[in-house]
Amino acid sequence: MPIHPNPRSVAVLAYDGLCTFEFGQVVEVFGLPRPEMGDDWYRFQVCAERPGPLRATGGFRVEADGGLVELGDAATILIPGWRGIDAPVPDDLLDTLRAAHARGSRLVSVCSGAAVLAATGLLDGKRVTTHWRYAERLAARFPRVRVDAGVLYTEADGVFTSAGSSAGLDLCLHLVRRDFGSRIANDVGRRLVLPPHREGGQAQFIDRPVADRENARFAHLFDWARSRLGERITIERMAGEAAMSRRSFIRRFEAATGSPPGEWLIGERVRYAADLLETTGLGIERVATECGFGTADGLRHHFRTRLGISPTAYRRQFAR
């Protein structure tokens, strides 16, 4: 994709019937001033689908400073939900999004906003997600897209979609991580009282409540594992620390996190490796050892699989 001339410019679409919660997430992450970032933080604008006051969920109205011209000029364009999966999308909005993408803009949707991005045709043949309640309807309306209701967010050629409601925050933090690195994403996550990255997908939220005592038990395990990522940690060892049989541990861990124990552990090691690459001058082999991957090849494989970039390229982009 082309490089956008104003990479920190962010615009969020306001429309009649605006989804207030999804809109608020975007404003919270990208629209709040962060003096500690100086002039390097995002330049944020709300852009209206059409002139005049727009109704928002909850009984109030929004009047934006910008319109479709300003929306199309932004490097990152966010669609915070939509009037409905089956609601039509105005042609001028679609034209604006297509032209912006061709110029190098990132297009991002939260929840039902995936319907807007799918309507552009830019996601034909690509994987998308939305709230699990809307997945079948989205797939029926746009048969050329591949709807995956089991993930929190997707990325394809500069077009990003997120699952329902709070998964929008996961995607927003992912974008912050890409733009500024893990340390800044962690800081933003802490201000939101959120983890900077969540494992698993939507399946963990569908009719499978987890008892508080399970979360408390695994919270201890999480701390235990994170404090010794450089060691050899087997599933049997994790099960023993949780005082469970191997079979029971795997079942309960996946129910609680939406991810198998081994996948969760790899994710923690990748995040620790990212932190070391950002904040230390350790060589790649040493980082691999410290994180428990053993060899630089192992680190490179998992790093590229999870983050889509090599450790060396990541350090070059995010080291501070």
Side-chain angles (χ1 to χ4, degrees), residues 1-5 68-75 77 95-106:
M1 289 184 61
I3 298 175
H4 198 280
L68 291 183
V69 172
E70 291 76 15
L71 185 79
D73 286 341
I77 300 172
D95 290 341
T96 297
L97 295 174
R98 293 186 191 109
H101 183 262
R103 291 194 297 270
S105 298
R106 297 186 299 199

Side-chain angles (χ1 to χ4, degrees), residues 120-168:
T120 65
L122 296 170
L123 286 171
D124 287 358
K126 306 294 194 310
R127 189 173 67 137
V128 307
T129 194
T130 187
H131 195 292
W132 56 267
R133 293 179 61 190
Y134 305 143
E136 290 186 5
R137 288 164 56 196
L138 184 69
R141 183 179 176 193
F142 301 103
R144 293 184 179 181
V145 305
R146 298 188 290 113
V147 179
D148 185 348
V151 296
L152 295 177
Y153 52 82
T154 67
E155 173 185 353
D157 296 332
V159 184
F160 301 75
T161 64
S162 72
S165 299
S166 62

Side-chain angles (χ1 to χ4, degrees), residues 7 15 19 65 72 108 207 238 240 272 277 294:
Y15 52 89
C19 295
D65 292 332
V108 184
D207 296 331
M238 294 174 73
Y272 183 38
L277 290 167

Side-chain angles (χ1 to χ4, degrees), residues 84-96:
I85 289 295
D86 302 315
V89 183
D91 289 339
D92 55 352
L93 174 56
L94 294 176
D95 290 341
T96 297

